[in-house]
Structure formats: C-alpha cells, structure tokens
Amino acid sequence: MGTTFYLAILIIYAVVMIVIGFVLRKQANKSMDDYGLASNRFGLMVVSIVSIGAWVGSGGLLGLSTGGYTDGVMGYWEYAMGYICILPFVFLFLTRVKFLKLYTVPDFFALRYAKYNEAIRYPTGAFYLIRNATTLGMQLNALAFLFTAFFDWSHVTGVWISALIVVIYTAMSGFLSVMVTNLIQSIFQTITPFVALGFVIYAAGGWDKITGYYADAGLSSNLSLFNGTDW
C-alpha cells in the first residue's frame, strides 16, 4: 500500500474526530460543567473502557512491539500491568466519586481528608498532571513515529500534526468530545491487537511454523507467557 492510502486513512480519521466534536458542540456548550466535565454523565463501564483505552494507546502498543521482539511473549507482562492496576483503581474510586456526586479523584481525597483544608488537592492534582502529561507525550511521540514511517515526515512535524488534531476536536466540545472519541478509539484499540495477532500467525504460515522456527533457533521460551518452554 502506498503513501496515498495511509494519507487518506489519516485524513478520514481526523475528519471523523472533528465531526464528532462539532456534533457534540451544542450539547457541551450549555455550561462549564458540560464543557469541562461532561456533567459527570458517564457510567462505570464507559469510564472503565476509556481508562483502559488511555493505556492501550499508540505509545503502549509500539512499546509492546519492541518488548515482544526483545523479550518474547513474556514482555507482555510489562504492558498487562496497566490492566491489572487500572481496573481495581477505577472500581475502587469511580463508584465512590459518582455516588458522592463528585467530579474528580482529588475531590474525593479533599472530602476524605477534610481536616487538611483541601490541601490534599495539591499533591493529588500534581500526580494527575504528571501522569497525564507523560501519557500525552508517549501518545504524540508514537503517532509521530508512525507518520515518520509512513510519510517520511520529520518527527517534530508528526508531533505537531498529532497535537493539532487532538486540540481541534477537544476545543470544540471539551471533555464530552474527549470521552466520546476516546470510547470509540478505545474499542478499536482493544480489538485491533487481537486482529493483528491473527493476521501475523496467518502471514507466518500458522502456529506450527512459528513454534518450529523458534525451536530451531533455541528460543522456544520466547513463546511462553511464563518464560517456560511450553505453553
């Protein structure tokens, strides 16, 4: 597939994200709660999917590919820790945050440790700022890497284009747009690795050929989730 095909996919993707932001604009601009916090309207399942999707992003998938190449299937555990840690966190905090009609985890801590006069908001807010800035940096860099590979753009150009797409659809309708687009992307991002796995096994000639190749190379342990020689 040539550059034109990948460029068309990029343009279609960007247009779809911007159209979603445009459609949601009227609803999101009713108040600051709607624009900035989507009025706390999303349930546990949606927020769980979006939270996982933030981890299963382009940065994580590219890192997983590298880990799989160097460490074998065992390298997946570094990536799986996101699921293992995020899901209990979401169920532990989100149910309480929504029940108490709060908006954020810092709100929850401010209520829990009221004797500190809400000073607890500063360390928890700083934590989320660092976490989100780190995640955003990974995602923009990963997208820039793909643009460099497909279109031979400079890495800096790729980062700017990635950021521009995100800023446009986010600015249109705020957090409501972020939640809806992230939900859609999270579903695709979660399904795609399984589709890619099936394609890779098919393209390699089947599982028997893969196991035979690794056995001949003396690297059968690379195909084990638990670093053994057999499944």
Side-chain angles (χ1 to χ4, degrees):
M1 298 180 183
T3 301
T4 302
F5 172 80
Y6 294 116
L7 186 60
I9 293 296
L10 170 63
I11 293 173
I12 292 172
Y13 163 79
V15 169
V16 169
M17 294 297 103
I18 293 171
V19 167
I20 290 174
F22 182 80
V23 170
L24 297 172
R25 184 178 60 175
K26 184 176 180 180
Q27 188 173 5
N29 289 341
K30 292 179 180 179
S31 67
M32 282 304 297
D33 275 353
D34 282 297
Y35 184 87
L37 298 168
S39 292
N40 204 12
R41 68 180 69 201
F42 294 100
L44 181 64
M45 183 62 68
V46 172
V47 177
S48 298
I49 293 173
V50 171
S51 298
I52 292 174
W55 184 265
V56 190
S58 52
L61 288 177
L62 288 177
L64 177 59
S65 300
T66 303
Y69 180 79
T70 57
D71 303 323
V73 177
M74 185 71 178
Y76 173 72
W77 286 108
E78 294 180 18
Y79 196 64
M81 289 306 296
Y83 293 95
I84 295 171
C85 295
I86 287 174
L87 280 178
F89 178 84
V90 168
F91 282 95
L92 178 65
F93 284 101
L94 183 64
T95 51
R96 290 159 175 78
V97 167
K98 291 188 68 65
F99 177 78
L100 296 169
K101 300 186 184 303
L102 304 174
Y103 288 116
T104 66
V105 173
D107 287 338
F108 172 80
F109 277 105
L111 186 64
R112 172 64 180 81
Y113 299 101
K115 65 180 180 179
Y116 295 106
N117 295 321
E118 299 197 350
I120 193 69
R121 289 181 183 274
Y122 295 103
T124 53
F127 166 80
Y128 275 97
L129 179 62
I130 294 171
R131 182 263 183 193
N132 291 338
T134 303
T135 302
L136 179 61
M138 287 196 317
Q139 308 296 27
L140 294 181
N141 273 285
L143 285 171
F145 172 80
L146 294 178
F147 292 153
T148 300
F150 290 149
F151 310 124
D152 199 28
W153 295 346
S154 72
H155 186 77
V156 174
T157 300
V159 169
W160 277 108
I161 291 177
S162 303
L164 184 62
I165 295 172
V166 174
V167 167
I168 289 175
Y169 75 73
T170 301
M172 279 186 171
S173 49
F175 193 64
L176 182 60
S177 176
V178 171
M179 287 296 293
V180 172
T181 54
N182 277 9
L183 175 62
I184 296 170
Q185 293 176 107
S186 295
I187 293 172
F188 280 112
Q189 287 173 174
T190 303
I191 294 174
T192 299
F194 295 101
V195 176
L197 175 62
F199 174 78
V200 168
I201 293 175
Y202 171 79
W207 184 248
D208 290 339
K209 283 196 173 183
I210 294 174
T211 55
Y213 172 84
Y214 276 88
D216 291 341
L219 297 172
S220 293
S221 61
N222 279 20
L223 296 179
S224 173
L225 272 172
F226 304 100
N227 212 27
T229 56
D230 298 307
W231 281 99

